[in-house]
Amino acid sequence: MAPVDNGAQTETKDQAITSTTAATDPYNVEAAEILASSAQHMPIAQAAPIYEQILSLFPTASKFWKQYAEAHMAVNNDDAIKQIFSRCLLNCLHVPLWRCYIRFIRKVNEKKGAEGQDEIRKAFDFMLGYVGADMASGPVWMEYITFLKSLPAQTAQEESIRMTAIRKTYQKAIITPTHHVEQLWREYEHFENSVSRQLAKGLISEYQPKYNSARAVYREQKKYVDEIDYNMLAVPPTGSFKEEQQWMAWKRFLMFEKGNPQRIDSASSNKRIIFTHEQCLMYLYHYPDVWYDYATWHAKSGSIDAAIKVFQRALKALPDSETLKYAYAELEESRGAIQPARKIYESLLGDGVSATALAHIQFIRFLRRNEGVEAARKYFLDARKSPDCSYHVFVAYALIAFCLDKDPKFAHSIFEAGLKRFMHEPVYILEYADFLSRLNDEKNIRALFERALSSLPPEESVEVWKRYIQFEQTYGDLASMLKVEQRRKEALSRTGEEGASALESSLQDIVSRYSFMDLWPCSSKDLDHLARQELLAKNISKKAEKSAVCNGPATLDKIPAVLASNSNVFGKVIYPDTSRSVIYDPRQKLGTHHFFFMRLEFHLAQQCLGSRLLLTHCQILLDWHPMYLMRC
Amino acid sequence: MAPVDNGAQTETKDQAITSTTAATDPYNVEAAEILASSAQHMPIAQAAPIYEQILSLFPTASKFWKQYAEAHMAVNNDDAIKQIFSRCLLNCLHVPLWRCYIRFIRKVNEKKGAEGQDEIRKAFDFMLGYVGADMASGPVWMEYITFLKSLPAQTAQEESIRMTAIRKTYQKAIITPTHHVEQLWREYEHFENSVSRQLAKGLISEYQPKYNSARAVYREQKKYVDEIDYNMLAVPPTGSFKEEQQWMAWKRFLMFEKGNPQRIDSASSNKRIIFTHEQCLMYLYHYPDVWYDYATWHAKSGSIDAAIKVFQRALKALPDSETLKYAYAELEESRGAIQPARKIYESLLGDGVSATALAHIQFIRFLRRNEGVEAARKYFLDARKSPDCSYHVFVAYALIAFCLDKDPKFAHSIFEAGLKRFMHEPVYILEYADFLSRLNDEKNIRALFERALSSLPPEESVEVWKRYIQFEQTYGDLASMLKVEQRRKEALSRTGEEGASALESSLQDIVSRYSFMDLWPCSSKDLDHLARQELLAKNISKKAEKSAVCNGPATLDKIPAVLASNSNVFGKVIYPDTSRSVIYDPRQKLGTHHFFFMRLEFHLAQQCLGSRLLLTHCQILLDWHPMYLMRC
């Protein structure tokens, strides 16, 4: 078979993969399964690149590794097989793959006499060290014991050594919760009795409780394991029910193992926990939380180095996960390894040109924490030159200058410098105003609002107007308060979002002006009612404007129809039981988030929810009292 | 019939009303209708107290007033009838009631010759001045004209005066949009032609366009009027569909009238608008917004005195409406009438002992605005002695001292004095911390959190812990940040709300620590995923804890069942199209309220919403980033 042919055929397969999956996501499980099964009927030279391709996407798919190894085994490519096993075994703690490995080792070493037997024994030990804790490892333990029993023993000493090896293996096997633990126990009893009835009695009564415990744990553990699909391919989370179910199954299993249900020594327990984590990662390879939990568990168990290795593997699996990088950097930083931490931060910054604003900010914070005021300042002064440096970086650094460096003047100058670039960013204006209000700098706050509102288009100035009004409610007199409210109405009426009628002052404005924190000048029922009215009024004014334009009976005719169609919705609405609501209760002791959240929860508890009502409440809370949200 | 009997019978009726409605609300429309119809068959002496009772609840129910008057008319109690009309006419601008009045006046004056005729003419003028703009007033105009025509005219001069009176009345009637405007026009044409064909031509061509306009407006107006139920009794809003429909119908009608569709002079237009407002108040008598809009319209039209009279009537109708009192006080204050405004504030405070916290706060603000620093301070120092003075008053006054009086030391001492009383109020702690963070007083903020957390029970300290963590994220180093987070977890794990597993740090914590404003170290998809996981994990740990207690197979058996039942829910969930979501987009230019609101709106747009998803998002936003909410 010429290599040229090979190449050509592979390319066709490549195209097949591409055409099946390119349009959607590369992790197309179905396509991979089809490809793998088609590879089974090809000569190995043709199949190998296909396996490589599949395995580059699914590096923890033990079934494909096994199939790949078996394809080579069919033609006795021993070197290739060894290569494959060296690449996959330690990342794929799955019994069938490892049994395939043992088959290979036995086949290779069968004819090599004592030396070969030693190799096989080592392979068994190696395997059981990695997957001996697997519930499916029973047959491996049995096979090992059978193998040990089959070993020749010429002298009495050799016989004694062999017996000891068999006994030790039995004693490990019967304290491992596997499907075959009962059978292994019966065999062990038989074994000891066949060796020495007298000795057996003592040993069996010594191991009986350990076996009992293993069997009890097995029965419990089986329920967790039964929930797990060991055939699943590792794909990035899509949020499917199957995936969530598997994620939960693994979480529960891990939690169970972490509880050390067998009450074994902590070293053995930790080994089991590591085994379960590693196995879990075969399937939840693309889940940053699983990697993170694993690393954290290592760190908490005192193995910082192991934790760091997990992070390094995690970043190979998920090189784009910023979250994992921050977590990794945090671990390094908190153990005092500032240089390694800095390297990770630098990797987040990339070449610096296309660094995200968040990466700049976190690096500045890191520098401020670990290298001091000057290092942070220097980095900021460089970073702000980048055209991609957003207002966030200015805000973050100004807050550092104010809160940490206690340098309000410099902080002020940063905000002022940023204003030249970010005058068009309402959020920046609000942050700047917030900062000035910490300085209690009334004059500059007012000036800032005026500057911003003279340049922002009305549709971008909604929040700025709101804050300006809140400001006047706190700092201004009645006339300035009313004047800004009126100006806001005039400015925003031009956006078309609010109708002409919105220009008029409404009772809602009064409620908003004369509220304070969670105190309202009316009952919660009144608030519900007013909010509902506001919503209805918006519809009226929209319609009225339309009819003012058309000014004909055609438009007016439509109103009753609209009402009629609404009536279906209205009929279904469940009104809240305001007596249970805590929002407006002045005695309530929770912060805003809770008060808002409880309200939402309460609404959601009513299952199929009339959306108009929730909207109403959101509006009442957000439109009327942004100030309160701001405060708490 | 002895008065004693009367009393006894009335009492029975009283009891009937009480037993029917006492348990629910006094404004029982059905009961009132039944009572009123039973009163019709009673002697007037028995019926009168019933009418009085009904009318004390429904003072604008013109149909009951009419019935009451008619009952007296049946027995010719002229004085009683006059009394009744004097009590109701001006508040009940309803044609049938007024026609009943005219009937009475005509009957009384019919036999009195010229003097009586004059009385009747005056009554017609009086009536048409009040309800002549009503669409149903056509027959009244006709009756008046017929009456005018029936007047004797001996001399040519008298005949001329009578003709002029008829012509003037016709000319008013035909420019009024009524159901009978066409008929009146035809009669008018006939009238003028019968007087003088030559003169008629000029007059008719002068009035034709005015009539045309009135007729066109009538056709348009009729659509609004047809939506209105003039038979409805005025009850406090309950939020029923019928009520909302009527409220909208009146709003639309008022908006139509305010647009002066007939393009008449503004005095006439204002008269119509006043008429419509007054009529509206017959039905929406208990709607503070209607009173407020009416008063505001007067104020804007330049009649502050009229506005104030409306507020006074409004407070008779709704004496408990704080909102209306603030609105009224605001009007007085903004026209410089400080003493009247002060009186309204004082009425809000009542005897001062049971005054609400909000009333104290608003009065302090009022004093600060109008009488200066000392007056406000003096009032606060008195008010805080009241046992009902809540922490809000301290917060409000401290903010005045800081923002307006520019006295941070005094503000600090107010917060500190309040702490002795309100150490158990998490919201107060948060406000105090907020204030200290404006002072950039790191040391005292930390001390405050420590003091508060050492005395607050864990279940009340959730928000304080959150704020403490935010504080350390801004002011602290990595170690202090992590330490407070860990302490929070330990403290809250004891509340039982979060499971033992919540003690472990999670990837969510990393996301929260390394976010800034709307920048996140992961994609919005990742955030959704993490939030979903957090929710699932909470369920796992709750179950795990239960099973740890029972530790038997019975509990474990249940897990698959739970999963199975959940699967129904999961199947229905609509996942958000995160590509349309703007929350996590660093380029987004909106403030928090918008970002939150848009998210909600987006979710709600999907109509029947899986509650778990919305909860998820609320949690992600509120649990993770209260700081962001706080900022913006």
Side-chain angles (χ1 to χ4, degrees):
Chain A
M1 205 178 292
V4 178
D5 273 344
N6 261 349
Q9 291 233 11
T10 312
E11 221 173 288
T12 320
K13 282 293 153 191
D14 268 345
Q15 281 161 354
I17 260 195
T18 314
S19 64
T20 329
T21 63
T24 58
D25 90 301
Y27 294 96
N28 188 322
V29 168
E30 216 177 307
E33 302 269 13
I34 290 167
L35 260 182
S37 103
S38 73
Q40 273 186 310
H41 308 292
M42 292 177 193
I44 182 66
Q46 242 177 293
I50 296 173
Y51 285 122
E52 289 294 339
Q53 189 170 4
I54 298 172
L55 289 165
S56 71
L57 271 181
F58 300 101
T60 57
S62 78
K63 63 180 174 185
F64 295 146
W65 282 113
K66 178 165 169 278
Q67 200 177 308
Y68 190 15
E70 280 169 346
H72 276 297
M73 279 160 80
V75 291
N76 294 311
N77 287 349
D78 287 359
D79 286 344
I81 299 165
K82 277 180 201 160
Q83 274 266 321
I84 289 168
F85 280 127
S86 75
R87 286 165 63 199
C88 68
L89 282 180
L90 296 190
N91 290 325
C92 297
L93 304 188
H94 197 211
V95 170
L97 176 67
W98 281 78
R99 292 194 77 183
C100 173
Y101 161 69
I102 284 286
R103 264 202 310 285
F104 169 68
I105 294 294
R106 292 189 77 160
K107 200 200 72 179
V108 171
N109 291 288
E110 237 163 15
K111 304 276 163 66
K112 292 190 183 164
E115 199 189 323
Q117 282 159 358
D118 211 45
E119 282 298 316
I120 294 168
R121 213 180 32 73
K122 276 188 198 156
F124 267 116
D125 279 339
F126 175 60
M127 172 176 183
L128 289 167
Y130 275 95
V131 298
D134 196 300
M135 194 173 261
S137 66
V140 185
W141 290 102
M142 285 173 169
E143 193 186 337
Y144 188 23
I145 289 162
T146 309
F147 166 75
L148 288 175
K149 284 180 181 167
S150 77
L151 289 182
Q154 263 90 25
T155 65
Q157 203 201 352
E158 276 176 7
E159 177 62 24
S160 168
I161 289 171
R162 198 184 63 166
M163 280 298 170
T164 308
I166 295 170
R167 174 172 291 123
K168 265 178 80 179
T169 309
Y170 265 127
Q171 286 171 350
K172 277 188 198 159
I174 58 162
I175 61 164
T176 305
T178 65
H179 296 302
H180 296 77
V181 70
E182 291 188 42
Q183 190 182 338
L184 278 158
W185 174 252
R186 282 193 304 272
E187 282 183 17
Y188 176 55
E189 279 184 312
H190 185 262
F191 165 77
E192 290 293 4
N193 280 317
S194 71
V195 178
S196 151
R197 282 204 169 257
Q198 264 191 317
L199 214 65
K201 222 178 166 182
L203 279 166
I204 286 167
S205 71
E206 185 192 338
Y207 274 87
Q208 180 90 49
K210 292 178 185 174
Y211 154 66
N212 284 348
S213 167
R215 192 186 51 181
V217 168
Y218 161 70
R219 282 175 188 166
E220 232 179 289
Q221 198 188 64
K222 187 173 182 301
K223 284 165 194 137
Y224 294 98
V225 167
D226 283 352
E227 293 291 317
I228 291 167
D229 175 6
Y230 289 93
N231 204 38
M232 199 178 95
L233 289 178
V235 295
T238 64
S240 75
F241 172 58
K242 173 72 191 289
E243 282 168 22
E244 283 191 345
Q245 201 190 24
Q246 287 300 303
W247 181 84
M248 283 177 84
W250 277 110
K251 282 263 162 183
R252 274 195 290 260
F253 188 21
L254 280 163
M255 220 191 299
F256 174 73
E257 286 292 355
K258 282 178 186 170
N260 188 3
Q262 224 178 326
R263 304 280 173 268
I264 47 182
D265 62 287
S266 71
S268 308
S269 169
N270 282 352
K271 227 182 130 189
R272 287 195 68 91
I273 295 166
I274 290 170
F275 167 73
T276 312
H277 266 302
E278 290 288 347
Q279 225 178 22
C280 171
L281 281 169
M282 286 173 63
Y283 304 96
L284 306 179
Y285 186 71
H286 299 277
Y287 285 63
D289 62 299
V290 176
W291 288 104
Y292 176 77
D293 290 347
Y294 186 23
T296 307
W297 176 82
H298 268 310
K300 282 213 171 170
S301 318
S303 323
I304 303 284
D305 290 334
I308 282 172
K309 267 180 202 134
V310 170
F311 271 126
Q312 283 163 348
R313 285 169 60 200
L315 287 177
K316 258 178 210 146
L318 300 162
D320 297 332
S321 173
E322 289 170 56
T323 316
L324 279 176
K325 283 185 186 170
Y326 286 118
Y328 179 21
E330 188 174 88
L331 181 68
E332 294 283 21
E333 185 182 350
S334 52
R335 69 162 177 168
I338 305 305
Q339 279 318 304
R342 193 190 166 109
K343 282 230 170 76
I344 303 162
Y345 274 105
E346 283 167 353
S347 82
L348 278 157
L349 289 164
D351 57 2
V353 178
S354 63
T356 65
L358 188 60
H360 284 310
I361 291 167
Q362 297 305 348
F363 191 48
I364 293 172
R365 288 182 160 184
F366 171 81
L367 289 173
R368 179 65 184 75
R369 284 197 297 264
N370 296 292
E371 301 183 17
V373 179
E374 276 315 311
R377 181 167 303 191
K378 193 164 165 288
Y379 185 82
F380 167 73
L381 294 176
D382 276 352
R384 68 168 185 171
K385 286 176 198 152
S386 146
D388 291 329
C389 174
S390 75
Y391 63 84
H392 304 83
V393 183
F394 280 74
V395 173
Y397 185 62
L399 287 180
I400 288 174
F402 180 68
C403 298
L404 296 175
D405 307 346
K406 311 288 179 204
D407 190 346
K409 271 196 188 163
F410 187 53
H412 197 160
S413 74
I414 295 161
F415 268 119
E416 195 55 34
L419 196 63
K420 291 192 191 91
R421 270 165 78 170
F422 306 115
M423 185 59 111
H424 59 287
E425 296 280 7
V427 178
Y428 186 76
I429 306 297
L430 298 179
E431 291 290 333
Y432 191 4
D434 226 39
F435 168 75
L436 289 173
S437 90
R438 291 176 78 165
L439 299 186
N440 211 11
D441 187 350
E442 189 177 337
K443 220 174 98 190
N444 272 316
I445 303 173
R446 201 173 268 117
L448 173 65
F449 283 132
E450 292 296 342
R451 275 199 285 171
L453 290 169
S454 69
S455 75
L456 279 175
E459 62 277 12
E460 305 243 314
S461 64
V462 178
E463 290 302 317
V464 179
W465 277 113
K466 268 190 194 167
R467 195 70 70 83
Y468 196 2
I469 286 168
Q470 290 157 19
F471 164 77
E472 287 295 354
Q473 282 176 358
T474 311
Y475 285 88
D477 56 20
L478 185 59
S480 65
M481 222 186 287
L482 296 177
K483 198 178 153 203
V484 171
E485 277 190 42
Q486 195 54 36
R487 283 176 59 201
R488 171 185 166 269
K489 284 187 181 182
E490 277 159 21
L492 298 188
S493 72
R494 271 173 263 144
T495 66
E497 238 193 67
E498 308 192 26
S501 76
L503 267 173
E504 284 171 27
S505 64
S506 71
L507 203 59
Q508 279 93 324
D509 298 331
I510 296 284
V511 170
S512 148
R513 274 203 289 282
Y514 291 91
S515 297
F516 184 77
M517 294 173 69
D518 58 342
L519 304 178
W520 308 76
C522 55
S523 69
S524 68
K525 202 183 138 209
D526 294 339
L527 278 183
D528 283 350
H529 186 67
L530 278 171
R532 176 78 188 124
Q533 283 184 341
E534 190 171 32
L535 217 66
L536 294 173
K538 272 186 188 167
N539 287 334
I540 294 177
S541 53
K542 268 177 202 158
K543 262 164 228 155
E545 267 157 45
K546 271 184 206 157
S547 79
V549 173
C550 318
N551 217 11
T555 320
L556 291 162
D557 275 342
K558 279 175 195 157
I559 290 170
V562 169
L563 277 173
S565 76
N566 277 354
S567 66
N568 293 330
V569 180
F570 288 14
K572 277 182 207 152
V573 165
I574 309 149
Y575 269 79
D577 172 7
T578 42
S579 64
R580 274 188 54 206
S581 149
V582 298
I583 299 189
Y584 314 110
D585 183 347
R587 291 160 305 168
Q588 63 114 334
K589 293 174 177 168
L590 296 162
T592 330
H593 321 309
H594 257 153
F595 107 74
F596 189 36
F597 197 31
M598 286 181 70
R599 187 79 165 191
L600 274 177
E601 261 187 329
F602 168 66
H603 280 298
L604 291 167
Q606 303 184 326
Q607 279 292 345
C608 191
L609 172 82
S611 63
R612 71 159 190 155
L613 204 70
L614 186 54
L615 268 173
T616 297
H617 281 286
C618 293
Q619 267 187 336
I620 210 174
L621 291 168
L622 296 174
D623 281 358
W624 296 12
H625 266 259
M627 191 172 199
Y628 189 52
L629 279 178
M630 182 186 72
R631 279 236 194 76
C632 297
Chain B
M1 206 176 296
V4 178
D5 272 345
N6 261 349
Q9 292 231 10
T10 313
E11 219 172 291
T12 320
K13 281 293 153 192
D14 269 345
Q15 279 161 355
I17 260 194
T18 312
S19 64
T20 329
T21 64
T24 58
D25 90 303
Y27 294 95
N28 188 322
V29 168
E30 214 175 310
E33 302 269 12
I34 290 167
L35 259 180
S37 104
S38 73
Q40 274 186 309
H41 309 292
M42 293 177 193
I44 181 65
Q46 241 177 293
I50 296 173
Y51 285 123
E52 288 295 338
Q53 189 170 4
I54 298 172
L55 289 165
S56 71
L57 271 181
F58 300 100
T60 57
S62 78
K63 62 180 174 185
F64 295 147
W65 284 113
K66 177 165 170 277
Q67 199 178 312
Y68 190 15
E70 281 169 344
H72 277 296
M73 279 159 80
V75 290
N76 294 312
N77 287 350
D78 286 359
D79 286 344
I81 299 165
K82 277 181 199 158
Q83 274 268 321
I84 289 168
F85 282 127
S86 76
R87 285 165 64 199
C88 67
L89 282 180
L90 297 190
N91 291 324
C92 298
L93 305 188
H94 197 211
V95 171
L97 176 68
W98 282 78
R99 294 193 75 184
C100 172
Y101 161 72
I102 284 287
R103 264 201 312 283
F104 169 68
I105 294 294
R106 292 189 78 159
K107 200 201 72 179
V108 172
N109 291 289
E110 240 162 14
K111 307 275 162 67
K112 293 189 182 165
E115 197 188 325
Q117 282 159 357
D118 211 44
E119 281 299 314
I120 294 168
R121 211 181 33 73
K122 276 187 197 156
F124 269 115
D125 279 338
F126 175 61
M127 172 175 183
L128 289 167
Y130 276 94
V131 299
D134 195 299
M135 194 173 260
S137 66
V140 186
W141 290 103
M142 287 175 167
E143 194 186 336
Y144 188 25
I145 289 162
T146 309
F147 167 76
L148 289 175
K149 285 180 180 168
S150 76
L151 288 181
Q154 262 91 24
T155 64
Q157 199 198 355
E158 275 175 7
E159 176 63 22
S160 167
I161 288 170
R162 196 183 64 165
M163 280 298 171
T164 309
I166 295 169
R167 175 171 293 120
K168 264 178 83 178
T169 308
Y170 266 127
Q171 286 172 351
K172 276 188 200 160
I174 57 160
I175 62 164
T176 305
T178 64
H179 296 302
H180 298 76
V181 71
E182 291 189 41
Q183 189 181 339
L184 279 158
W185 174 253
R186 282 194 304 272
E187 284 182 15
Y188 176 57
E189 279 186 312
H190 185 260
F191 165 76
E192 289 292 4
N193 281 317
S194 71
V195 177
S196 151
R197 282 205 167 255
Q198 263 191 318
L199 213 65
K201 221 179 168 184
L203 279 166
I204 284 167
S205 71
E206 184 193 338
Y207 276 86
Q208 181 90 50
K210 293 179 185 174
Y211 154 67
N212 284 348
S213 167
R215 192 185 52 183
V217 168
Y218 161 70
R219 283 176 188 164
E220 230 178 292
Q221 198 187 64
K222 187 174 182 299
K223 286 166 194 134
Y224 294 97
V225 168
D226 282 351
E227 293 291 316
I228 290 167
D229 175 6
Y230 289 92
N231 205 36
M232 198 178 94
L233 289 178
V235 295
T238 64
S240 75
F241 173 59
K242 172 73 190 289
E243 281 169 23
E244 283 191 345
Q245 200 190 25
Q246 286 301 301
W247 181 84
M248 283 177 83
W250 278 110
K251 283 265 162 180
R252 274 194 290 261
F253 188 22
L254 280 163
M255 221 190 302
F256 173 75
E257 286 291 356
K258 283 178 186 169
N260 188 4
Q262 223 177 326
R263 304 282 173 265
I264 47 183
D265 61 287
S266 71
S268 308
S269 170
N270 283 352
K271 225 181 132 189
R272 285 196 69 91
I273 294 166
I274 290 169
F275 167 73
T276 312
H277 266 300
E278 290 287 348
Q279 226 178 22
C280 172
L281 281 169
M282 286 174 65
Y283 305 95
L284 305 179
Y285 186 71
H286 299 277
Y287 285 63
D289 61 299
V290 176
W291 288 104
Y292 177 77
D293 290 347
Y294 186 24
T296 308
W297 175 83
H298 268 311
K300 282 213 169 169
S301 317
S303 323
I304 302 285
D305 291 334
I308 282 171
K309 266 180 204 135
V310 171
F311 272 126
Q312 283 162 348
R313 283 169 61 201
L315 287 177
K316 258 179 209 146
L318 300 162
D320 296 331
S321 173
E322 289 170 54
T323 316
L324 279 176
K325 282 186 187 169
Y326 286 118
Y328 180 20
E330 187 174 88
L331 181 67
E332 293 284 22
E333 186 182 350
S334 53
R335 68 162 178 167
I338 305 305
Q339 280 316 305
R342 193 189 166 108
K343 281 230 170 75
I344 303 163
Y345 275 105
E346 283 167 352
S347 82
L348 278 157
L349 289 165
D351 55 3
V353 178
S354 62
T356 65
L358 187 61
H360 284 309
I361 291 167
Q362 297 304 349
F363 191 47
I364 293 173
R365 289 182 159 183
F366 172 81
L367 289 173
R368 179 65 185 75
R369 283 197 298 265
N370 296 292
E371 301 182 16
V373 179
E374 275 315 311
R377 181 166 303 191
K378 192 163 167 289
Y379 185 81
F380 167 73
L381 293 176
D382 276 350
R384 67 168 185 169
K385 286 177 198 150
S386 146
D388 292 329
C389 174
S390 73
Y391 64 86
H392 303 83
V393 183
F394 281 73
V395 173
Y397 186 60
L399 288 180
I400 287 173
F402 179 69
C403 298
L404 295 176
D405 308 345
K406 310 289 179 202
D407 191 343
K409 272 197 188 166
F410 187 53
H412 197 158
S413 74
I414 295 160
F415 267 119
E416 195 55 34
L419 196 62
K420 291 192 191 90
R421 270 165 77 171
F422 306 115
M423 185 59 109
H424 60 286
E425 296 279 8
V427 178
Y428 186 74
I429 306 296
L430 298 178
E431 290 290 333
Y432 191 2
D434 226 39
F435 168 74
L436 290 173
S437 90
R438 291 177 77 164
L439 299 186
N440 210 11
D441 186 349
E442 190 176 337
K443 221 175 97 189
N444 273 315
I445 302 173
R446 202 172 269 118
L448 173 65
F449 283 132
E450 293 295 343
R451 276 200 285 172
L453 290 170
S454 69
S455 75
L456 279 176
E459 63 276 11
E460 304 243 313
S461 64
V462 178
E463 290 302 317
V464 179
W465 277 114
K466 269 190 192 166
R467 195 69 71 83
Y468 196 1
I469 286 169
Q470 292 157 18
F471 164 76
E472 287 295 354
Q473 282 175 358
T474 311
Y475 284 89
D477 56 20
L478 185 59
S480 65
M481 221 187 282
L482 296 177
K483 198 178 153 201
V484 170
E485 277 190 40
Q486 194 54 36
R487 283 176 58 200
R488 171 185 167 270
K489 283 188 181 180
E490 276 158 23
L492 298 188
S493 72
R494 270 173 265 145
T495 66
E497 237 194 69
E498 308 194 25
S501 75
L503 267 174
E504 286 170 28
S505 63
S506 72
L507 203 59
Q508 280 94 324
D509 298 331
I510 296 284
V511 169
S512 146
R513 275 203 288 282
Y514 292 90
S515 296
F516 184 78
M517 294 173 70
D518 58 342
L519 304 178
W520 309 76
C522 54
S523 68
S524 69
K525 204 184 136 209
D526 294 338
L527 278 183
D528 282 349
H529 187 67
L530 278 172
R532 176 79 188 122
Q533 283 184 341
E534 190 171 33
L535 216 66
L536 294 173
K538 271 186 188 165
N539 287 334
I540 293 178
S541 54
K542 268 178 201 157
K543 263 165 229 154
E545 267 157 46
K546 271 184 205 157
S547 78
V549 173
C550 318
N551 215 11
T555 320
L556 292 163
D557 275 342
K558 279 175 193 156
I559 290 171
V562 169
L563 277 173
S565 77
N566 276 356
S567 66
N568 293 330
V569 179
F570 289 13
K572 277 181 206 156
V573 164
I574 309 149
Y575 270 78
D577 173 7
T578 43
S579 64
R580 274 189 55 204
S581 149
V582 298
I583 297 188
Y584 312 111
D585 183 347
R587 293 159 305 169
Q588 65 114 336
K589 290 172 178 169
L590 298 161
T592 330
H593 322 309
H594 259 154
F595 107 74
F596 188 38
F597 198 31
M598 286 179 69
R599 186 80 165 190
L600 273 176
E601 260 186 329
F602 167 66
H603 279 296
L604 290 166
Q606 302 183 327
Q607 280 291 345
C608 192
L609 171 82
S611 63
R612 71 160 189 154
L613 205 70
L614 186 55
L615 267 174
T616 296
H617 282 287
C618 293
Q619 267 187 338
I620 211 173
L621 291 167
L622 297 173
D623 281 358
W624 297 11
H625 266 258
M627 190 170 201
Y628 188 53
L629 279 177
M630 181 185 73
R631 280 237 194 77
C632 301

